[in-house]
Amino acid sequence: MPGTGSGRPGSGRRRSIAAEQSLFWALAALLCLIAIFPVLRLLVEGAMPQGKLGLGALDRVLSDPATWTAFGHTLWVSLAAMAISGLIGGAMALVVALGDLPARRTLVFGFTMLLIVPSQITTIAWIELLGPSSVLLKLFGLAPAPGARHPLYSATGITLLLGLEHAPLVFLSLRPALRVLPGDLIEAARAAGARPMRVVRTVVLPLVAPSLIAGMALAFVSTIGNFGTPALLGIPARFPMLTTLIYQRLSGFGPRVLSEVAALSLLLGVLAAGGVLVEAWLAGRRDVRVEGTASSIHLPLGRWRPVAVAAAWGFLALTLLMPLLALLATALVAAYGQPLGPATATLENFRFVLFDDPAAGRAIIDSLGLAAAAAAILFLVAVPVAYFAVWRGRRLMRLLVLAAELSYALPGVVLAIAAILIFIRPVLGLTLYNTLGIILIAYLARFFTLAQRPVAAAFRQLDFRLEEAAQMSGAGFVRRVMTVALPLVAPAAAAGGLLVFLTAFNELTVSALLWSAGHETLGVVVFSLEQAGENTVAAALASLTVVATVGLMALASFLTRHLATPVLPWQA
């Protein structure tokens, strides 16, 4: 009889339970450390700057006019960018999800690249496209006059680019809702003689309004925490936002202003949390539940189909292909501003960043190592966390996963300041400040949700009775996880790991505050080269990262091609 008798089966069961409980509490402790402790540390610093009870640092920050200038800029730029994201992302979702367009998968893949390509690289590409030294526009005689002010170095430029970069968030939120609309309602409207535009306006949009609101709120929160675009466009234009103000204060004055930048980051966190709460409130006020059969619907565009196809692909060519071509063209000339032609084209910039520039070489190795380590660790953590949260339904684990997802909404700058506060002094005799270790820990906290969501989605597709059958056959906890759960969710876990890898490989916001001499990351080096006026070298390094990003996206798509439910953003 299992569990009694000679004592061997019973001891095996006890070992299995002990292993399960040990792993559960170890994971719970890890999630507390990466999701809850950083926020608590920031709050403690706000109330007790440098360990002394008082609100002096917070008072100084709140009484500084520069704080409110940056706050106002951040708020209205984020609101305007959110509106732009809603218009672009919403229109693209309607056309792609409901219209009978050809090659929609390629269209979705390309549109999602606007989000996946790092913000600082997208911004550099646009700088190279529209500036007076634009190599690409010079080929057609369209470059602005030498000495002319760059049109993007302004509040308008920042707003437009942020709106464009975050439009895929609205698209990714809205498209799944459009794909499961009740088909009988659409058919009834069409049978009554309603034209496609009227069906969209009176039936479709009211039903998908919560998803549209959620996507726009996500774009708002992401815009608040963006660093690359405001830094590259706003610093030259003397247009501060909260993220750039924190960066400039910490870069200029060092750790002695840590309490002040912690207070600034709390202000940034409050703004982001406000966006999340407003989204939840607005979404909760609209109950759009309907009865009917969900189905994939395509509205025939008729004579407007060629126009829609041209508009969709023309938009991608203008906003994605042209900037990337400008980036590549800049990388192919020896001197910035030089016309591109057979006599001037060179691969010297690529050779330099790959073999001669020590900082670029270190950054490539460091970013590869950090991204690989973060992806591998989170791959190993995400599977048992999703197992306990989804299959076993452990309430504490579900709450900790929710806490991690909420902390993911906080801007990366906030997390970076928290990491500095925690590790500026040795912890348990271990010094991590000014090392790659602090960046790795920040990446684990920042990207846990990216690894966990695909695995959780995969677990929800699986039948829990598979594990029950293994348990009835006498398999212990470790064996069940290794032989039943892990093989089934491995493709989704690998896809999540790849998402972590390609995001961490190009990361800038967290690294910009945590890097140190000799421990640079790729995002930091590209940003520094562009800031130093080394545009051609920066363009070469940025072009290489774009190629790597597209390759990783294609690899992730290949790994998950057999899953019943899409787990990658560009498959949703």
Side-chain angles (χ1 to χ4, degrees), residues 205-222:
L205 286 181
L207 291 175
V208 300
S211 297
L212 180 62
I213 292 171
M216 292 178 67
L218 193 56
F220 175 76
V221 173
S222 298

Side-chain angles (χ1 to χ4, degrees), residues 85-178:
S85 297
L87 286 173
I88 297 174
M92 186 63 83
L94 287 171
V95 171
V96 171
L98 300 182
D100 51 344
L101 300 185
R104 284 186 295 176
R105 287 186 179 181
T106 308
L107 199 58
V108 172
F109 188 90
F111 190 65
T112 312
M113 279 186 64
L114 291 173
L115 177 69
I116 301 296
V117 172
S119 176
Q120 69 275 11
I121 291 179
T122 299
T123 305
I124 291 173
W126 277 96
I127 290 173
E128 303 307 341
L129 175 63
L130 297 180
S133 300
S134 173
V135 178
L136 187 65
L137 292 186
K138 282 182 178 179
L139 290 174
F140 306 100
L142 298 174
R149 180 181 174 81
H150 198 296
L152 292 180
Y153 290 157
S154 63
T156 304
I158 297 172
T159 305
L160 289 174
L161 269 196
L162 288 175
L164 177 64
E165 291 169 12
H166 297 112
L169 289 174
V170 179
F171 174 85
L172 295 173
S173 175
L174 191 55
R175 187 172 176 241
L178 290 168

Side-chain angles (χ1 to χ4, degrees), residues 305-324:
R305 186 170 184 263
V307 177
V309 171
W313 285 102
F315 177 81
L316 271 190
L318 183 65
T319 58
L320 180 66
L321 186 61
M322 290 286 286
L324 293 182

Side-chain angles (χ1 to χ4, degrees), residues 11 36 55 59 97 168 201 204 345 348 358 360 370 398 464 531 555:
S11 63
I36 298 176
L55 299 176
D59 284 342
R201 191 177 68 253
V204 174
E348 176 61 22
L370 285 168
R398 294 170 68 175
F464 179 70
Q531 289 273 288
L555 178 60

